[in-house]
Amino acid sequence: MVASIGWGVVAMLVGVIIAFQLNFWEANGHVFEVITRFLNETLRLRFIPIFETDGIQYLTFGRLRPLHTNAAIFAFVGNMMFAGIYHSTQRLCNTRTYSDLLSKIHFWGWQGIIVGAAVTLTAGLTRGKEYAELIWPINIAVVVIWVVFALNFFLTLKIRREKSLYVALWFYIATIVTVAVLYIVNHLQIPTSLVHSYPIFGGVQDALVQWWYGHNAVAFFLTTPILGIMYYYLPKAANRPVYSYRLSIVHFWSLVFLYIWAGPHHLLNTALPKWLQLLGMFFSLMLWAPSWGGMINGLLTLRGAWDKIRTDPVIKFFVAAITFYGMSTFEGPLLSIRSVNSLAHYTDWIIGHVHSGTLGWNGFMAAGMFYWLAPRLWNTKLWSKNLANFHFWIGTVGILLYVASLWFAGVIQGLMLNETDPTGTRLVYEFVQTVDKIQLLMLTRAIGGTLYLTGFILLVVNIWMTARSGTPTNETREVYDDPALARDRMTWKAAFRNDPVTYTVWTLIFGIHWFFLPPGASHMALICMIGFAVMACIKFKQNTKAWSDWYDELSENYLPFTILVIVAVLIGGVVQIVPAITVNRAANVEDRLQTLYTPLELSGRDLYISEGCYNCHSQMIRMLVPDVLRYGDYSRLGESIYNHPFQWGSKRTGPDLAREGGARGDSWHYLHMLNPRSINANSRMPNYPWLFKKETDFGSLPGRIAVQQRIGVPYPIMTPEEIEQHAREQALAISTGLVDQDVRIVVGKGETQPKTKQEARDHLASKEIIALIAYLQKLGTFEETAETGGEGFDSLEFLAPQVPDANRVTVPAKPEPTEEPAELQQ
Amino acid sequence: MFKRVILESWHEYVPYVCFALIAGAFAAIIIRALLMKKSEVERIARLPLEQPEENERTGENQS
Amino acid sequence: MEVIFLTTLFSIVFAIFFLLLFLRVRQKGDSCADQDSLIPFRNENDSIEQTDPTPSNSSPKDFVPKK
């Protein structure tokens, strides 16, 4: 708990910092120069040295944002989740945790992982995949610690003295097994060095796997364990049992089954095959029900006890948390509808949605749980109820200001970016105009976040003083140890070969067949599916007691229960991912295929990833008219198929870069990276001066290309010398062009300014900026492959998708942009 | 669907009007609470959540 | 149109579903499952009063475990 509180402050502080960075580019490190210059020159405090810098590479938004997300999710919520699970599981099982040693390893191992994350992420060591940025040695550590946790937890279940597994434990089980599956699959990678690796998936496959993981990290790391915590701590705090146990059964199983399928709603209107997008959309919509089931169960638990909300800050926090949960889980399905998503994707509305969930649900559940736990852990009273109430109110106001600002900002930005003139063929606004328009809202958002952080600091003070006023106490309970306790007696046959499971499985099998079979066969499958569903309902009505008894018995047997959860969770992943991997490969791609990166361009791409450029820039032009008008022809699936990891991006704080290659000269990029405001006075992008001083790592290129070949990128065989020579030659060509245009050469400390043009060329050719320019100029380059004339993607046959997907061919008769992309407003 | 939604320049001020209104309402309620007499505060805190059987009081707070 | 249609459809479907299944007066509590909702309250001795219950005229139906 203490760890969670500490890391929570860190995570929120980093969040506030990056929020201010979005307003003031100087906050990317330059602010220290501003402050020290002000103190030194304006206030004449000459003893304070001026900290001259254009930006500190460790503090740029691109490096801090992954730190913020990882700290908030894994450090803050992770520790809170572990605290709640360990505390409640012991009480729900009426037994001590299986092994204190495992608990200690788990705790210290996890904190070590967090420290490792903080160091590596700010250093630019990243995998480039959201919420999965940590480098491979840390990934292994996470897996080890998670196994330790799982062992500890399941062995505690094994030795439990309570026959039945309470609903909170189901959620913990689902969390542990599903996070394990998700983490391992999304972190399959081949290292190139101790601190770098490439994922084995690329392009669209990587997009799908990443967002299968990413959305279900939200589901099974941020939602299910906290729901479990809600199911224990809310009844305890309110002294009332859960409203409807039956509702908890239904919503638990539908939640864990449906959530997995929702991943593609992060990829709507992109090059992801349309059948996957529709699956993601429909399942996200269906997900609304189980989520609200949880909300209803939580809120109605307070029936007859609503007066407690007036006096008890814990109940206040829980009720607000559950309400925000309901709000977010309504907003989420809404945002998953393709037409809504076409406005909201890449805008700040999504960020607002995320934070209503994280600040409202996770943050407030954490606060409520801490305020409830602390007095009990230290055998005292909460130090100040008034302070807790004040925290509640300042936190609520903070969330509302934050979220409302981003709703407005997102919608404004979306509407502006999508607006065309009355003829429908020209855009009205430049990208930077939208950035200007939402600037004040970005500020109010940062203020909202600051208010929330302030509230959380009040929690720190309150808990600290509570701890000081008490003594740490281990609660002891007398529990009756029944040697003949009838638990875990179910046979495997009884667990799996029974009516409820059978009917469910067959209904699902026919449902999947209905989706994938060609017309005719699919209609038969639909009839069979409906038939099984109807029969299941009839059987349930006839044998209600038998089915209920079976479920009661299942909830007394933790292993069969766990296996069934794993099966429920795997179905969605298998159905969505397996076709994407087996079918959507480069060999099968039609229409366009990505041109391979040269060694230098690969190095530049890895720089793009390590600087975190993907946090603000997308590389996926959607199949929407405004996108095509603004950025060029829509992105095909094959154009990114060799990108390990994929770079489709998920936010456009800056414009999309998918067709950036060739749109501007090398010197434009040179000046832009040195100081974006020299090109565009209103830009918020940080300066990147260190790219002009650091040397490109040519030596690592052979190793990287070897790994790329292993994961399926068809590089020709080259010797290491050939690779390095190719890269250096290309770099020299680019630097020659730049020097001929008399660009300003930047030198680092200890380097001398080159005097001749030849010296300048050689000096510049080895710098990282050249590699990055090479990469940027490659974006959007492709080769045409044999076109097969397929149906347009707007056929109505989306219910019987063809595999491979017919919408990957060029669609004829789209309105062509009337100007060259380079002249389009950007 | 969104082609028909055109962003007018006055739309830009709507968020700030909203924030001002909410802040105003919030401030008004806080000021009222701060200025309220303690006996009045305690009386309101004691209001029952449900309608009493006798139906003697009217207009009580209901949950 | 898509938005209004889908959200209306799903809200009606869910409302019917929920009303049918869960809005009956809470189950009599014969089955084990309903007894399970009382698990957190068994063997409890963490009744530390951290809040003073506000004296109120309503009589909250204080919960007493059945077993």
Side-chain angles (χ1 to χ4, degrees):
Chain A
M1 180 179 92
V2 170
S4 171
I5 294 176
W7 294 120
V9 174
V10 170
M12 292 176 202
L13 187 61
V14 175
V16 168
I17 291 174
I18 60 179
F20 277 105
Q21 282 176 341
L22 288 173
N23 268 287
F24 309 109
W25 70 270
E26 297 90 338
N28 286 286
H30 183 61
V31 66
F32 296 119
E33 177 174 343
V34 170
I35 292 175
T36 50
R37 193 176 290 277
F38 174 74
L39 292 171
N40 184 301
E41 290 178 353
T42 315
L43 296 185
R44 303 218 193 279
L45 298 167
R46 298 287 175 196
F47 59 89
I48 295 178
I50 298 179
F51 186 65
E52 260 192 62
T53 174
D54 276 328
I56 300 176
Q57 58 173 306
Y58 305 106
L59 298 181
T60 55
F61 183 87
R63 305 237 186 137
L64 284 189
R65 190 234 166 196
L67 180 61
H68 167 68
T69 54
N70 277 278
I73 297 174
F74 298 111
F76 171 52
V77 178
N79 274 308
M80 171 245 178
M81 174 218 312
F82 298 143
I85 291 179
Y86 275 115
H87 182 262
S88 58
T89 304
Q90 292 183 96
R91 284 151 182 79
L92 291 170
C93 293
N94 274 330
T95 180
R96 283 275 285 119
T97 308
Y98 180 80
S99 159
D100 282 343
L101 176 63
L102 287 180
S103 304
K104 285 197 179 73
I105 297 175
H106 177 195
F107 176 77
W108 290 109
W110 196 255
Q111 312 316 313
I113 288 169
I114 297 168
V115 170
V119 168
T120 51
L121 289 176
T122 44
L125 303 172
T126 170
R127 289 178 67 240
K129 289 163 60 105
E130 285 186 69
Y131 326 133
E133 292 94 343
L134 300 177
I135 53 176
W136 68 269
I138 307 184
N139 299 154
I140 294 180
V142 170
V143 170
V144 167
I145 298 299
W146 198 259
V147 168
V148 164
F149 172 47
L151 274 176
N152 211 2
F153 177 78
F154 281 107
L155 289 169
T156 308
L157 290 189
K158 191 169 180 338
I159 61 168
R160 69 185 187 281
R161 295 194 186 92
E162 176 60 59
K163 200 161 61 139
S164 236
L165 296 170
Y166 181 65
V167 53
L169 296 171
W170 311 342
F171 279 99
Y172 302 156
I173 291 173
T175 301
I176 294 175
V177 298
T178 316
V179 167
V181 171
L182 293 167
Y183 198 83
I184 291 174
V185 173
N186 194 38
H187 285 80
L188 292 173
Q189 61 200 300
I190 302 193
T192 63
S193 75
L194 203 54
V195 295
H196 183 260
S197 63
Y198 290 126
I200 65 174
F201 303 109
V204 62
Q205 301 161 352
D206 196 31
L208 184 59
V209 170
Q210 161 62 27
W211 287 114
W212 166 79
Y213 163 86
H215 190 79
N216 294 302
V218 170
F220 289 92
F221 206 92
L222 296 182
T223 302
T224 52
I226 320 298
L227 278 172
I229 282 173
M230 178 194 87
Y231 272 113
Y232 180 76
Y233 289 99
L234 180 60
K236 293 296 273 183
N239 207 24
R240 306 195 60 68
V242 158
Y243 167 70
S244 163
Y245 212 68
R246 188 194 272 206
L247 176 57
S248 62
I249 297 174
V250 170
H251 105 86
F252 169 75
W253 287 101
S254 38
L255 194 87
V256 301
F257 173 64
L258 291 174
Y259 231 131
I260 299 288
W261 301 71
H265 72 221
H266 293 260
L267 300 165
L268 293 176
N269 295 302
T270 65
L272 188 76
K274 191 160 181 193
W275 66 271
L276 268 171
Q277 295 184 32
L278 290 170
L279 263 185
M281 175 172 115
F282 279 116
F283 275 80
S284 305
L285 276 165
M286 288 197 280
L287 190 57
W288 179 16
S291 306
W292 273 32
M295 174 189 77
I296 289 167
N297 225 353
L299 289 178
L300 290 178
T301 300
L302 286 166
R303 260 178 24 153
W306 282 102
D307 59 307
K308 291 199 166 74
I309 204 179
R310 289 190 289 204
T311 55
D312 191 354
V314 173
I315 302 283
K316 280 192 179 74
F317 277 108
F318 283 163
V319 167
I322 298 171
T323 310
F324 274 114
Y325 173 66
M327 202 187 83
S328 308
T329 50
F330 173 65
E331 198 181 14
L334 198 72
L335 288 168
S336 307
I337 301 174
R338 268 162 62 100
S339 45
V340 179
N341 196 272
S342 69
L343 179 81
H345 191 32
Y346 297 130
T347 69
D348 279 303
W349 184 356
I350 307 292
I351 315 298
H353 162 68
V354 167
H355 285 87
S356 72
T358 53
L359 299 180
W361 165 240
N362 291 118
F364 272 10
M365 283 301 294
M369 191 184 91
F370 295 154
Y371 285 127
W372 192 86
L373 268 182
R376 284 160 179 77
L377 293 176
W378 278 280
N379 202 19
T380 176
K381 281 191 199 264
L382 187 64
W383 182 66
S384 166
K385 204 151 62 89
N386 278 336
L387 202 60
N389 278 321
F390 189 62
H391 169 197
F392 172 77
W393 286 109
I394 202 174
T396 304
V397 169
I399 298 175
L400 293 175
L401 188 59
Y402 187 105
V403 170
S405 305
L406 290 182
W407 282 342
F408 285 120
V411 172
I412 287 175
Q413 198 177 26
L415 287 176
M416 284 175 81
L417 288 171
N418 288 347
E419 193 168 319
T420 54
D421 70 354
T423 68
T425 55
R426 293 182 71 96
L427 296 163
V428 177
Y429 294 104
E430 289 197 29
F431 192 93
V432 73
Q433 286 177 289
T434 69
V435 174
D436 277 342
K437 240 343 185 222
I438 62 173
Q439 185 191 3
L440 195 50
L441 288 167
M442 292 283 105
L443 187 59
T444 53
R445 165 259 199 109
I447 294 173
T450 312
L451 287 176
Y452 191 82
L453 173 62
T454 311
F456 202 76
I457 292 176
L458 296 179
L459 177 142
V460 174
V461 168
N462 212 348
I463 304 278
W464 170 255
M465 296 305 289
T466 305
R468 275 187 47 173
S469 74
T471 46
T473 320
N474 279 327
E475 185 192 338
T476 46
R477 287 191 185 189
E478 266 190 34
V479 181
Y480 177 59
D481 192 4
D482 181 358
L485 190 64
R487 53 158 166 77
D488 297 333
R489 294 279 164 85
M490 207 177 201
T491 60
W492 292 108
K493 181 163 175 292
F496 295 111
R497 296 190 59 189
N498 52 65
D499 275 355
V501 170
T502 312
Y503 279 107
T504 313
V505 165
W506 280 110
T507 310
L508 284 173
I509 288 178
F510 281 114
I512 293 169
H513 278 100
W514 166 53
F515 195 80
F516 281 104
L517 290 176
S522 68
H523 297 125
M524 284 306 303
L526 177 63
I527 293 172
C528 288
M529 178 180 97
I530 295 178
F532 266 99
V534 165
M535 276 179 60
C537 294
I538 295 173
K539 282 279 180 184
F540 175 64
K541 276 273 175 303
Q542 285 174 349
N543 304 335
T544 308
K545 186 153 189 336
W547 285 39
S548 298
D549 286 347
W550 170 78
Y551 191 82
D552 289 339
E553 214 197 325
L554 185 69
S555 60
E556 291 164 10
N557 291 269
Y558 78 100
L559 262 186
F561 193 95
T562 307
I563 304 286
L564 280 175
V565 168
I566 295 177
V567 169
V569 149
L570 282 179
I571 297 175
V574 164
V575 169
Q576 289 186 336
I577 295 181
V578 167
I581 291 183
T582 52
V583 169
N584 291 115
R585 290 151 134 190
N588 297 340
V589 157
E590 296 142 356
D591 185 32
R592 290 189 189 171
L593 194 58
Q594 182 181 7
T595 315
L596 290 180
Y597 296 119
T598 65
L600 183 70
E601 290 156 6
L602 185 67
S603 170
R605 194 194 74 120
D606 290 346
L607 276 171
Y608 178 96
I609 292 170
S610 98
E611 291 299 332
C613 305
Y614 62 89
N615 284 297
C616 292
H617 291 283
S618 59
Q619 288 180 25
M620 166 52 61
I621 302 171
R622 297 174 289 171
M623 289 190 204
L624 299 169
V625 170
D627 260 36
V628 168
L629 286 177
R630 191 176 294 278
Y631 300 116
D633 204 6
Y634 64 92
S635 294
R636 308 295 200 276
L637 189 153
E639 287 183 282
S640 55
I641 200 117
Y642 294 133
N643 265 331
H644 292 255
F646 81 113
Q647 293 301 309
W648 291 9
S650 54
K651 174 71 165 56
R652 285 178 186 160
T653 311
D656 183 279
L657 300 177
R659 301 218 182 277
E660 191 64 18
R664 285 162 250 274
D666 289 350
S667 55
W668 188 97
H669 288 291
Y670 187 93
L671 294 171
H672 186 243
M673 298 300 297
L674 192 54
N675 182 1
R677 277 144 290 282
S678 64
I679 304 281
N680 195 327
N682 292 323
S683 173
R684 303 288 191 280
M685 182 169 142
N687 296 349
Y688 285 92
W690 52 90
L691 292 176
F692 297 77
K693 300 171 191 166
K694 285 167 75 174
E695 305 261 318
T696 310
D697 188 0
F698 290 105
S700 68
L701 276 171
R704 293 182 184 214
I705 292 191
V707 171
Q708 290 261 318
Q709 285 166 325
R710 264 176 82 185
I711 50 183
V713 182
Y715 276 106
I717 313 275
M718 293 185 278
T719 66
E721 294 79 26
E722 280 174 343
I723 292 172
E724 199 170 323
Q725 192 195 356
H726 191 283
R728 285 194 190 274
E729 278 172 5
Q730 187 179 3
L732 192 59
I734 296 174
S735 71
T736 306
L738 285 170
V739 166
D740 288 343
Q741 291 180 312
D742 290 322
V743 292
R744 175 165 84 92
I745 305 291
V746 178
V747 289
K749 278 208 191 81
E751 284 180 324
T752 50
Q753 190 79 13
K755 296 186 184 52
T756 64
K757 278 215 163 160
Q758 185 58 42
E759 268 180 37
R761 280 183 209 126
D762 292 334
H763 169 91
L764 197 53
S766 62
K767 301 299 180 194
E768 286 184 336
I769 182 64
I770 301 298
L772 189 60
I773 290 176
Y775 168 66
L776 290 172
Q777 296 289 34
K778 187 62 171 277
L779 289 174
T781 324
F782 58 86
E783 295 148 4
E784 304 268 349
T785 61
E787 272 187 40
T788 63
E791 302 88 80
F793 65 88
D794 49 2
S795 74
L796 286 173
E797 291 180 337
F798 66 87
L799 281 178
Q802 289 117 38
V803 178
D805 189 32
N807 80 336
R808 284 188 274 107
V809 298
T810 318
V811 174
K814 269 237 166 305
E816 289 291 303
T818 49
E819 292 170 327
E820 291 303 308
E823 290 175 39
L824 272 181
Q825 303 152 342
Q826 284 252 14
Chain B
M1 194 167 156
F2 296 104
K3 290 198 282 281
R4 292 194 287 278
V5 180
I6 309 261
L7 197 73
E8 309 275 346
S9 50
W10 63 265
H11 290 165
E12 191 187 340
Y13 303 107
V14 170
Y16 309 114
V17 171
C18 289
F19 289 154
L21 283 173
I22 298 257
F26 209 72
I29 295 174
I30 290 184
I31 293 172
R32 173 173 173 255
L34 288 173
L35 292 177
M36 204 182 268
K37 286 205 287 279
K38 195 150 168 40
S39 57
E40 185 68 8
V41 171
E42 284 178 14
R43 184 187 78 81
I44 290 177
R46 260 195 297 269
L47 289 174
L49 285 172
E50 285 162 8
Q51 196 80 288
E53 306 295 315
E54 303 80 19
N55 232 353
E56 275 179 34
R57 298 179 211 187
T58 55
E60 307 289 33
N61 285 358
Q62 303 241 355
S63 74
Chain C
M1 275 324 282
E2 213 178 31
V3 179
I4 299 176
F5 170 69
L6 285 168
T7 44
T8 314
L9 171 73
F10 277 91
S11 19
I12 293 176
V13 166
F14 297 154
I16 297 173
F17 189 62
F18 177 70
L19 288 167
L20 277 178
L21 278 185
F22 303 118
L23 218 52
R24 290 182 289 151
V25 170
R26 261 190 279 180
Q27 294 87 316
K28 295 299 172 229
D30 325 339
S31 76
C32 295
D34 296 298
Q35 289 293 309
D36 283 353
S37 61
L38 306 175
I39 291 179
F41 299 100
R42 294 188 192 143
N43 297 103
E44 72 170 343
N45 57 359
D46 54 347
S47 52
I48 297 166
E49 281 303 313
Q50 67 161 8
T51 61
D52 300 306
T54 309
S56 74
N57 289 333
S58 70
S59 48
K61 303 176 236 339
D62 256 340
F63 181 68
V64 174
K66 268 192 188 128
K67 274 214 186 130

